[in-house]
Amino acid sequence: MTDQTSEILSSVRTQFVQKVSEPVLNQLLDFLLQQDVINQGEMESARAETRADRARAVIDMVRGKGTEASSVLIDRLCQLDRHLSRTLNLM
């Protein structure tokens, strides 16, 4: 991924929030925690939200952590939901 990964996430944020499914979102959260991209407190905070709010929280948390974290999210999303990844032009 390039240095613009955070900007890529920013540009697809609205569509991601609208279209990401509950199961994919939960899998992303689990993976991000496992990879130490987010911590337990961030995970618990995001889990307490509605699906759309959780999607916003995930993308915003990861964007704030920089290029490497953004790349991890994009790569995992591409693995979990190829259709959404294509819709968002991430593949």
Side-chain angles (χ1 to χ4, degrees):
M1 294 287 154
T2 68
D3 289 337
Q4 296 132 351
T5 333
S6 181
E7 287 83 13
I8 292 169
L9 284 181
S10 180
S11 72
V12 301
R13 183 179 184 270
T14 300
Q15 280 188 291
F16 176 80
V17 169
Q18 291 172 348
K19 297 180 183 214
V20 69
S21 70
E22 187 90 28
V24 168
L25 193 52
N26 287 334
Q27 290 175 62
L28 283 172
L29 277 166
D30 290 340
F31 183 77
L32 293 170
L33 179 65
Q34 179 185 22
Q35 298 299 309
D36 293 322
V37 173
I38 62 173
N39 62 42
Q40 188 67 38
E42 291 168 323
M43 168 79 142
E44 290 168 6
S45 174
R47 290 260 190 220
E49 306 285 340
T50 65
R51 186 209 53 84
D53 287 340
R54 192 172 21 212
R56 283 183 197 93
V58 166
I59 207 163
D60 292 343
M61 276 189 290
V62 171
R63 281 184 53 229
K65 292 176 185 274
T67 301
E68 187 175 334
S70 296
S71 294
V72 169
L73 174 62
I74 290 170
D75 290 345
R76 189 61 177 175
L77 180 60
C78 289
Q79 292 171 12
L80 293 172
D81 192 336
R82 296 178 74 74
H83 175 73
L84 177 58
S85 299
R86 284 189 195 104
T87 300
L88 301 177
N89 293 318
L90 298 175
M91 299 182 79

